[in-house]
């Protein structure tokens, strides 16, 4: 055997899984299709659940997050002139951390480098073999050379467009999907955030989100039609549209500036069941996608990794297979809850083209319900801060 676990994908899922396994004395090799610079240039998630914060600490990759991350005790939801604050701390006794996925990924690469885990970048033609036997293998091309690694288990951490999920025969897989008719145009700028907490703004012009990475770095999103391209939106047009969607008091405070990055992400809900096929396990975006409205994508990847590490360690150390037998069902229970929450948040906050007056009225009624009912706010807060693992 060349290594114990071959991990396909060097995004947050693959790196965190490797880190947790290595710290339990298990050998891993990571295969990543892109360069490290490319992986680190992707601007994605920004909100980390406390359970995930604790998992990063446990993995020995939480020190910079604890220094530089910003704990948030609440967030604001608005609907035109109506606004409601969701006080996480008061409603649940918990909070979330504002810390970018880019930073987490950089911290995990640093931690993996310190351990000395082999990470192959720019690999091509990854082929997963023999996962129904006790000795699977992964073949790949790197630097023009074909290589093959035999192992005990394969972890498919290769995102939505990866190869791992496709190894499971179609008749053994069940897929669930909802594609939404809009995307989010995101903009990053060196400006102070418009508000000290995140604002999720529903409006008759569509959704907007005011988020941040630090006291001097803001991240904003606006809902745009699926056909739009980032180049269709000048910085000035973006800022103008954002102002029209944010609550008036916030819009007046908005500091604009040149964008550092602008990109569009389509919104999708997707689950592929089960997460295990023989000795192959799917983790994170390889198995499921949520619309970003509930800030759950990265956090679900972390809970998958947590469950899988907890299953693989006894399987490799003591030949105890109960954990790996239960991995898929355990992870899916948490995944489906986050699917439901992200879908509900998406429906509540976005304008759907061609929707009727009833749909718009229901969105408004949902807001009024949140304003009126502490029970409704607690339900939202419990899901937003993340269910226990
Ligand atoms: P990733 O981050 O996609 O990493 C997978 C890695 O696998 C590599 N790969 C391969 N490597 C080898 N061989 C192959 N055949 C391979 N195919 C792919 C890829 O190059 C990549 O490096 O999945 P992972 O690790 O599961 O992490 C999941 C999170 O990245 C994801 O859930 C979130 O970023 C989702 N997401 C967001 N989540 C949030 O909570 N808040 C957000 O604001 C948010 N914004 C986003 C997002 C996802 C986006 N995507 C996937 C397009 C914005 C975007 C644009
Ligand atoms: C972000 O800061 O990128 C972010 C925050 C919350 C979300 C989605 C994205 O729900």
């Amino acid at each position: 055997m060349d290594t114990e676990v071959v991990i396909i994908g060097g995004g947050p899922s693959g790196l965190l899984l490797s880190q947790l396994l290595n710290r339990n004395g298990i050998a891993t090799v990571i295969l990543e299709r892109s360069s490290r610079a490319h992986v680190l240039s992707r601007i994605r998630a920004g909100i980390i659940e406390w359970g995930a914060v604790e998992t990063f600490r446990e993995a020995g990759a939480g020190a910079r997050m604890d220094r530089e991350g910003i704990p948030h005790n609440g967030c604001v939801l608005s609907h035109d002139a109506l606004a409601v604050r969701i006080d996480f701390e008061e409603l649940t006794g918990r909070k979330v951390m504002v810390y970018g996925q880019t930073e987490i990924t950089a911290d995990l690469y640093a931690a993996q480098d310190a351990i000395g885990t082999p990470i192959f970048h720019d690999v091509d033609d990854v082929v997963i073999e023999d996962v129904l036997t006790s000795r699977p293998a992964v073949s790949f091309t790197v630097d023009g050379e074909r290589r093959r690694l035999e192992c005990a288990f394969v972890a498919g951490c290769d995102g939505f467009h990866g190869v791992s999920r496709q190894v499971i025969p179609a008749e053994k897989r069940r897929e669930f999907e909802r594609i939404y008719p809009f995307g989010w145009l995101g903009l990053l700028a060196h400006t102070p955030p418009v508000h000290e907490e995140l604002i999720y703004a529903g409006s008759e012009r569509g959704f907007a989100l005011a988020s941040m990475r630090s006291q001097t770095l803001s991240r904003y999103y606006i809902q745009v039609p699926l056909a739009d391209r980032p180049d269709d939106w000048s910085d000035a047009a973006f800022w103008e549209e954002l102002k029209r969607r944010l609550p008036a008091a916030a819009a007046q405070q908005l500091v604009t500036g040149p964008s550092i990055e602008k990109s569009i992400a389509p919104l999708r809900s997707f689950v592929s069941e089960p997460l295990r096929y023989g000795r192959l396990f799917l983790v994170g975006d390889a198995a499921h996608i949520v619309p970003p409205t509930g800030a759950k994508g990265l956090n679900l990847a972390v809970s998958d990794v947590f469950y899988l590490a907890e299953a693989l360690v006894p399987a490799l150390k003591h030949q105890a297979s109960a954990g790996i037998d239960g991995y898929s069902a355990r992870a899916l229970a948490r995944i489906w809850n986050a699917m439901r929450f992200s879908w509900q948040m998406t429906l509540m906050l976005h304008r759907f083209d061609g929707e009727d007056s009833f749909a718009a009225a229901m969105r408004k009624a949902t807001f009024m319900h949140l304003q009126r009912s502490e029970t409704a706010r607690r339900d939202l807060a419990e899901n937003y801060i993340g269910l226990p693992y």
Side-chain angles (χ1 to χ4, degrees), residues 270-271 275 287-288 290 300 303-304 328 330-340:
F270 173 82
V271 184
L275 306 189
H288 44 79
V290 283
L300 270 188
S303 55
D304 287 0
S328 183
R330 196 177 173 209
L332 280 165
R334 197 168 189 282
I335 290 162
W336 276 114
N337 192 75
M339 284 290 150
R340 184 194 63 77

Side-chain angles (χ1 to χ4, degrees), residues 8-14 31-34 39 42-46 101 123 126 157-159 161-163 221 265 283-286 292 295-298 301:
I8 304 172
S13 298
L31 307 179
E32 167 57 51
R33 184 179 57 187
S34 305
V39 174
R42 298 190 294 226
I43 313 283
R44 290 185 176 176
Q101 178 169 334
V123 304
V126 171
C157 303
D158 49 353
H161 301 287
V163 293
Y221 297 92
V283 181
D285 280 17
K296 288 284 163 263
L298 175 62

Side-chain angles (χ1 to χ4, degrees), residues 7 17 40 64 68 93 187 191 198 250 253 262 327 355:
I7 296 174
L17 178 65
L40 290 175
R64 191 164 68 101
E68 296 177 14
L187 178 146
T191 56
L198 269 66
Q253 303 288 318
K262 231 188 273 161
Y327 165 69
E355 70 182 12

Side-chain angles (χ1 to χ4, degrees), residues 44-47 184 198 200 209 211 213 219 221 292-295 384:
R44 290 185 176 176
I47 293 285
W184 280 19
L198 269 66
Y200 288 84
L209 170 60
S211 181
R213 291 293 177 272
R219 179 70 166 162
Y221 297 92
T293 327
Y384 192 88

Side-chain angles (χ1 to χ4, degrees), residues 115-138:
I115 290 175
T117 306
I119 305 178
F120 291 93
H121 279 280
D122 302 302
V123 304
D124 282 320
D125 302 323
V126 171
V127 178
I128 303 169
E129 299 158 20
D130 305 331
V131 290
L132 296 181
T133 72
S134 60
R135 188 52 53 86
V138 180

